[in-house]
Amino acid sequence: MTDRSAANPRGYKKVMRGLDLTLFTVCAILVIDQLAASAAIGPQAVFWWIFTMIFFFVPYGLITAELGSTYPDQGGIYAWVRRAFGPRWGGRTAWLWWINVALWQPSVFILFAGIFAALFMPDLGLWTQIAIAVALTWLTVWINIVRLDVGKWVPNVGAVFKVAIMLVIGIGGFVYAANHGVANELTFSSMAPSWGASLAFLPVIVYNFMGFELMSGASAEMKNPARDVPVTIAVSGILIAAFYLFATIGILIALPLDEINLVSGIVDTLRVLLGEGGGVFVVVLGIMALYTFLANMVTWTMGANRSAAEAALDGNLPAMFARLHPEHKTPSNAAIVTGVVTSVVIVVYGLLAADAEDLFWTLFAFSSIVFLLPYLIMFLAFLQLRRIDADRPRPYRVPGGKGGAFVFALLCMAFIVQAIVFFIYTPEEFDMTYAVSIVIGVAITVVIGELMIMRAKRVAAPAG
């Protein structure tokens, strides 16, 4: 297989420096829109955050640091799987990676519209919210197409806003507790894990930690990936873990568990923490939160569209993903196709959902399972590359030799599997209709991907 790690055959412009990568990664992983869902677990969320940080987030970061620094190929996760298991598996990974963003994006923009309504227009109808979501989708497409040295500032600013909001929630929570007491008891007994309906939200914590590999989708556009990727993961990982835990505690201090709303939870928390005199600050922070939703989808679509475009340019996905912008070298076609799919999904789910919260959770659960599947392949690819490419120089290596690599990969895969299971199966509140619909949706998504890969191969074959 041709080694393209140092090559740049498509003429990509190297514009991503270490600070850009850190801000990009913080923006990708530090997700404001899922804070309410993680806090909805209750006080035991604190235990699960810490448990997941130690046994998943750290191993996952170490593995991604090795892959991203050793194989700085454009396309990131697609390129790693392609090296490990061949073009067809690379195509499958790129498809699942790309389509999950197109399916996830509607839930984020519907959440944007819900928070916008909570801030400014409480009576805003569902279809007006859907119109807002479609408009945001095409703004995201446009940002994906402009030059990366321009577009990168959207996630850069988004990262700063996310940190500011989480600091306000965390610090505000402790100040509120000093003056008014806590809304939920935070003791060792209340934070102890339990088996029950709250486990439906546990996968959200795993989900919230995903995204270290996203920056590697633009490896050919990095100044020095071998040096910057491991440093970025270390720095951003510490920041992300600390802010997630801090802000979750802030929400639990401010809001009773039964009042945490998946759509308006952030705004509700800010209103409680800042009080009646903080209306202006609530609006300002709310607007910042809305911006972070846009920035988050810009970040994820930048990575996913690059992986899809690279797979299509290699002949492993259909040509409709392949065209790059002639001047900017951005994945313009993949971005447009993402916009079309997202817009259709938004409208279809608008016809099916009773309200914004139903729409948000249905979209989120379905897209999340599709999103998690490529990670199982990625962790297996890590082990395979250790085996078949053992002599390759590795700027960073997961500690512990072969045994350490195996244990870390196994831990990560176990977390991914349990997240998939709990997105489908809810203890004590199992809904067979919901579970079956999610499984059928995921199966259809996988089958469509297989058909697209077969079509790409048939078209590419004569040229070979």
Side-chain angles (χ1 to χ4, degrees), residues 7-8 31 36 43 69 84 119 124 133 152 172-173 229 273 313 319 414 445 447 452:
N8 187 9
V31 185
S69 58
L119 278 171
L124 195 66
K152 71 180 183 180
V229 168
L273 295 180
L313 289 165
T445 302
V447 170
M452 297 189 84

Side-chain angles (χ1 to χ4, degrees), residues 19-33 104 151-163 166 208 210-211 214 236 239-240 244 291-300 302:
L19 179 60
D20 296 321
L21 296 176
T22 299
L23 292 172
F24 187 93
T25 303
V26 169
C27 188
I29 302 179
L30 201 62
V31 185
I32 298 290
D33 52 296
W104 171 39
K152 71 180 183 180
W153 287 102
V154 175
N156 284 2
V157 173
V160 174
F161 282 3
K162 289 182 179 189
V163 169
M166 289 195 169
N208 282 351
M210 311 306 290
L214 191 65
S236 62
L239 292 173
I240 289 160
Y244 265 143
Y291 176 87
T292 68
F293 298 165
L294 173 65
N296 204 54
M297 293 320 308
V298 167
T299 307
W300 280 92
M302 280 181 172

Side-chain angles (χ1 to χ4, degrees), residues 395-416:
Y396 171 80
R397 182 183 290 268
V398 172
K402 292 181 180 179
F406 179 79
V407 169
F408 286 154
L410 191 63
L411 274 173
C412 291
M413 287 188 286
F415 270 88
I416 297 299

Side-chain angles (χ1 to χ4, degrees), residues 79-93:
W80 304 334
V81 173
R82 181 179 181 274
R83 281 179 174 273
F85 300 122
R88 189 173 290 275
W89 276 103
R92 290 186 180 107
T93 303

Side-chain angles (χ1 to χ4, degrees), residues 34 173 181 311-312 404:
Q34 300 305 325

Side-chain angles (χ1 to χ4, degrees), residues 403-456:
F406 179 79
V407 169
F408 286 154
L410 191 63
L411 274 173
C412 291
M413 287 188 286
F415 270 88
I416 297 299
V417 170
Q418 69 83 22
I420 291 173
V421 169
F422 285 128
F423 268 126
I424 299 170
Y425 169 72
T426 307
E428 297 183 4
E429 292 185 4
F430 180 64
D431 184 336
M432 179 62 75
T433 302
Y434 163 80
V436 170
S437 64
I438 294 295
V439 171
I440 290 174
V442 172
I444 291 172
T445 302
V446 171
V447 170
I448 291 173
E450 290 298 310
L451 294 175
M452 297 189 84
I453 293 167
M454 291 171 59
R455 178 178 179 275

Side-chain angles (χ1 to χ4, degrees), residues 12-151:
Y12 296 114
K13 299 174 183 178
K14 295 183 177 293
V15 299
M16 297 291 281
R17 296 176 171 84
L19 179 60
D20 296 321
L21 296 176
T22 299
L23 292 172
F24 187 93
T25 303
V26 169
C27 188
I29 302 179
L30 201 62
V31 185
I32 298 290
D33 52 296
Q34 300 305 325
L35 269 181
S38 63
I41 298 173
Q44 61 180 290
V46 176
F47 169 86
W48 289 118
W49 274 116
I50 296 172
F51 181 83
T52 307
M53 285 175 195
I54 295 171
F55 293 103
F56 174 72
F57 194 49
V58 172
Y60 161 50
L62 297 177
I63 289 171
T64 313
E66 178 173 324
L67 288 170
S69 58
T70 305
Y71 303 102
D73 303 335
Q74 187 79 354
I77 187 172
Y78 154 74
W80 304 334
V81 173
R82 181 179 181 274
R83 281 179 174 273
F85 300 122
R88 189 173 290 275
W89 276 103
R92 290 186 180 107
T93 303
W95 162 253
L96 292 170
W97 189 243
W98 172 83
I99 192 62
N100 96 81
V101 174
L103 296 172
W104 171 39
Q105 191 165 232
S107 68
V108 175
F109 287 152
I110 286 294
L111 184 62
F112 179 109
I115 292 179
F116 178 85
L119 278 171
F120 303 112
M121 303 175 67
D123 297 325
L124 195 66
L126 177 61
W127 282 101
T128 304
Q129 294 182 40
I130 286 173
I132 292 172
V134 171
L136 289 168
T137 296
W138 289 97
L139 176 59
T140 303
V141 170
W142 177 77
I143 296 170
N144 265 256
I145 294 174
V146 300
R147 298 196 325 264
L148 184 59
D149 58 344
V150 174

